[in-house]
Amino acid sequence: MPHYRYQPVHDRVALPLRDRTWPSRRIERAPLWVPVDLRDGNQALAEPMDTARKRRMFDLLVAMGFKEIEVGYPSASQTDFDFVRHLATSGAVPEDVTVSVFTAARHDLIDRTIASIEGLPRTVVHLYTATAPTWRDVVLGRSRAEVHALIRDAATHLMRRAEERPGADVRFEFSPEVFNLTEPDFVLEVCNGLTELWDACPDRPVIHNLPATVEVATPNVYADQIEYLDRHLTHRHSVILSVHPHNDRGTGVACAELAVLAGAQRVEGCLFGNGERTGNVDLVTLALNLYAQGVNPMVDFSDIDAVRETVEHCTRLPVHPRHPYGGELAHTAFSGTHQDAIAKGLAHHAKQAAELGVPAEKAAWAVPYLPIDPGDIGRTYEEVIRINSQSGKGGVAHLLHTHHGLDLPATMRPDFSRTVQRVTDADGRELSHKDLWDLFRATYIAPGLGGRGGRAGHGGQGGQGGPVELVSWSTAEGGSGEHHFSCVLRIDEEGQERHCQGTGNGPLSAFTDALRAAGLTVDIIQYTEHATTTGPGSHAIAYAECRVNGVTCWGAGWDTSLLTASVQAVMAAVNRAEGGAAR
């Protein structure tokens, strides 16, 4: 590839900063956010938003807490002009929200822009002109001095037109378009001149917005440029230093973050990064990156799915499933090692919160692989761990515990995980928590019946399925603590019912003694049980790992009676072993 055709940024623009200080700074508060979805983002759409979609987007931005919103380029299209007029006449703009409008540096376009904002009490008129050498030479066909004169003439005209509206709060913003490829001394010359011309003061500051219109360098270069301007702008306390990074190199978010370290006080961008070419900087990622560092982002993302759905409706563009924070799969783990760490982290978090006596949603967050609590932005934990062929035992166990109350023994988890993997490898699909429960039930509770097994109880019909059927059973305890177990078994090979009895120091040992009378040598290696929910009528689950005639298998039982569940678990292990389900 002909890489020699392209010049590095250091050969295209002077970078005078040598004693940079931004690398040692920290971001400790949010900048002023200015969403430009309705102007810059809208210009990038194949089908620009109509008034209804624009209004829905505007209402979303207001509801999220943005205090300055760029709403259009009213001199560029009738649709944009009409929307600004809609805002001016509908009462849609709250008292604490400022509307910003965009215009090129031409008298007729400025006049049209001023006409559009009539009736709006607080506005920023955003004036722009390209200042970089390539744009001056190729696009404008003007010298540096001529471009400066054009900007000053337009800024003077804007100021005079605004003065014709006494009582209206009109402030000014200027963007030297393609700032990042413009000579720093020229930017200073232009911006300092406008600060003086517009009579800026701390109570009525001017906004100087420095766009990385086309991203051409690593983010540290942009930060150096911003710090240089931050140091050398005159009347600095009367200037709000703003940035507007694009994402041509895929580092727009980093450019914005480093620019804030370097002195920027304001950031323009779009929700989810919509914009020309590869987009504007993404305000969702920027704001939630701050949130993940314990900094209040000053905007509300507590229902990220509603934000995403509105943006997708208004722009008719999908948000990528893996988009940071807002994507459908942003917090989802399929990998077994990730799932195991997340499941342990969530359990540890809940335990610590309980020990501290605070709700889990208020406790300090430190869970592996999850930089923020998904619940803080309206996500459910169901979305965090999802099961496919890459998943492991930790994730499977987590979903069964979270949704069905099962706490699988640690040594049983690999056994079921292998079953899950065989299924997912075979058809390549994802399994829901309901799919997992159905598979667990068919594998361990009702083997041989495909999950259709019924309830076995005292004297009832055994419904575990498989080659050995427990037709009925009963148990009793003798005075000396010895337990007696009586049952009727039907073994497929024989097809006849057999009456068996056994004794032992507990119901299960008596049961295995009865099974031995039927030619089934059963040793219980591990056994555990627990309730799946709280309250009367809740189900219990029992897990039994048994060696049956030399074959080791797990079985499970599920019933409102703990004794019944334990008998079912042993019976299920017997049927799995006799049916060829050995591990």
Side-chain angles (χ1 to χ4, degrees), residues 40-54:
D40 201 348
N42 189 54
Q43 289 176 204
L45 300 177
E47 184 183 340
M49 288 180 259
D50 55 20
T51 295
R53 283 189 287 151
K54 278 199 162 203

Side-chain angles (χ1 to χ4, degrees), residues 144-173:
R144 176 166 153 165
E146 289 171 330
V147 169
H148 190 178
L150 179 154
I151 293 169
R152 191 170 182 85
D153 175 67
T156 302
H157 184 71
L158 171 59
M159 181 179 63
R160 289 173 179 166
R161 290 305 315 272
E163 289 172 348
E164 296 170 2
R165 302 180 66 234
D169 181 4
V170 180
R171 293 188 296 114
F172 305 129
E173 174 179 357

Side-chain angles (χ1 to χ4, degrees), residues 454-468:
R455 179 182 181 276
H458 288 76
Q461 295 295 310
Q464 300 305 305
V468 182

Side-chain angles (χ1 to χ4, degrees), residues 296-357:
N296 185 350
M298 304 302 291
V299 281
D300 184 4
F301 289 98
S302 60
D303 190 350
I304 193 71
D305 289 336
V307 174
R308 187 188 73 236
E309 288 162 8
T310 299
V311 171
E312 289 180 329
H313 169 82
C314 293
T315 63
R316 297 183 179 172
L317 292 174
V319 172
H320 194 282
R322 292 291 185 188
H323 191 285
Y325 303 107
E328 182 184 353
L329 299 178
H331 303 96
T332 301
F334 289 103
S335 162
T337 54
H338 289 208
Q339 291 177 343
D340 185 60
I342 291 169
K344 289 176 179 175
L346 290 173
H348 180 70
H349 175 76
K351 179 183 177 184
Q352 281 199 321
E355 291 172 351
L356 294 170

Side-chain angles (χ1 to χ4, degrees), residues 176-233:
E177 194 73 6
V178 208
F179 153 78
N180 55 327
L181 283 175
T182 302
E183 306 92 331
D185 66 308
F186 185 40
V187 175
L188 281 173
E189 179 185 333
V190 172
C191 290
N192 287 338
L194 293 182
T195 303
E196 293 279 358
L197 174 68
W198 285 335
D199 195 23
C201 64
D203 292 334
R204 192 172 177 275
V206 67
I207 301 165
H208 287 314
N209 184 55
L210 307 179
T213 307
V214 179
E215 197 179 26
V216 295
T218 50
N220 61 294
V221 172
Y222 190 49
D224 283 352
Q225 293 173 316
I226 297 301
E227 183 171 343
Y228 180 80
L229 267 291
D230 177 48
R231 289 192 197 179
H232 293 91
L233 284 167

Side-chain angles (χ1 to χ4, degrees), residues 58 62 91-98 121-122:
F58 180 81
V62 168
V93 183
E95 288 295 322
D96 59 347
V97 172
T98 298
R122 292 161 310 284

Side-chain angles (χ1 to χ4, degrees), residues 162-476:
E163 289 172 348
E164 296 170 2
R165 302 180 66 234
D169 181 4
V170 180
R171 293 188 296 114
F172 305 129
E173 174 179 357
F174 175 67
S175 287
E177 194 73 6
V178 208
F179 153 78
N180 55 327
L181 283 175
T182 302
E183 306 92 331
D185 66 308
F186 185 40
V187 175
L188 281 173
E189 179 185 333
V190 172
C191 290
N192 287 338
L194 293 182
T195 303
E196 293 279 358
L197 174 68
W198 285 335
D199 195 23
C201 64
D203 292 334
R204 192 172 177 275
V206 67
I207 301 165
H208 287 314
N209 184 55
L210 307 179
T213 307
V214 179
E215 197 179 26
V216 295
T218 50
N220 61 294
V221 172
Y222 190 49
D224 283 352
Q225 293 173 316
I226 297 301
E227 183 171 343
Y228 180 80
L229 267 291
D230 177 48
R231 289 192 197 179
H232 293 91
L233 284 167
T234 58
H235 306 289
R236 183 65 184 84
H237 294 297
S238 299
V239 173
I240 294 174
L241 183 56
S242 176
V243 292
H244 183 125
H246 278 252
N247 197 44
D248 299 88
R249 291 168 55 94
T251 57
V253 167
C255 278
E257 290 180 327
L258 269 56
V260 172
L261 289 174
Q265 302 152 284
R266 179 179 181 272
V267 177
E268 296 182 353
C270 288
L271 299 180
F272 302 108
N274 175 43
E276 296 283 8
R277 304 179 308 281
T278 58
N280 291 285
V281 71
D282 174 15
L283 296 186
V284 174
T285 301
L286 282 172
L288 288 175
N289 280 354
L290 288 182
Y291 185 76
Q293 296 297 309
V295 176
N296 185 350
M298 304 302 291
V299 281
D300 184 4
F301 289 98
S302 60
D303 190 350
I304 193 71
D305 289 336
V307 174
R308 187 188 73 236
E309 288 162 8
T310 299
V311 171
E312 289 180 329
H313 169 82
C314 293
T315 63
R316 297 183 179 172
L317 292 174
V319 172
H320 194 282
R322 292 291 185 188
H323 191 285
Y325 303 107
E328 182 184 353
L329 299 178
H331 303 96
T332 301
F334 289 103
S335 162
T337 54
H338 289 208
Q339 291 177 343
D340 185 60
I342 291 169
K344 289 176 179 175
L346 290 173
H348 180 70
H349 175 76
K351 179 183 177 184
Q352 281 199 321
E355 291 172 351
L356 294 170
V358 298
E361 63 272 16
K362 300 294 184 183
W365 182 257
V367 173
Y369 296 111
L370 296 177
I372 66 171
D373 183 347
D376 287 353
I377 55 174
R379 290 292 179 80
T380 67
Y381 294 119
E382 181 177 352
E383 300 161 328
V384 172
I385 293 178
R386 289 163 59 176
I387 304 301
N388 65 11
S389 61
Q390 303 299 310
S391 304
K393 60 184 184 298
V396 171
H398 172 80
L399 289 186
L400 286 176
H401 181 263
T402 300
H403 297 283
H404 303 283
L406 306 190
D407 188 7
L408 271 60
T411 51
M412 186 184 191
R413 295 178 183 186
D415 188 75
F416 185 46
S417 181
R418 286 189 289 271
T419 300
V420 171
Q421 191 154 29
R422 282 195 295 271
V423 172
T424 53
D425 278 339
D427 58 20
R429 69 185 180 93
E430 180 185 343
L431 299 185
S432 68
H433 68 83
K434 183 179 182 302
D435 293 330
L436 288 176
W437 164 247
D438 290 343
L439 183 58
F440 180 86
R441 189 167 182 269
T443 303
Y444 296 106
I445 296 177
L449 290 183
R452 302 188 307 275
R455 179 182 181 276
H458 288 76
Q461 295 295 310
Q464 300 305 305
V468 182
E469 182 180 351
L470 184 61
V471 179
S472 63
W473 61 275
S474 64
T475 184

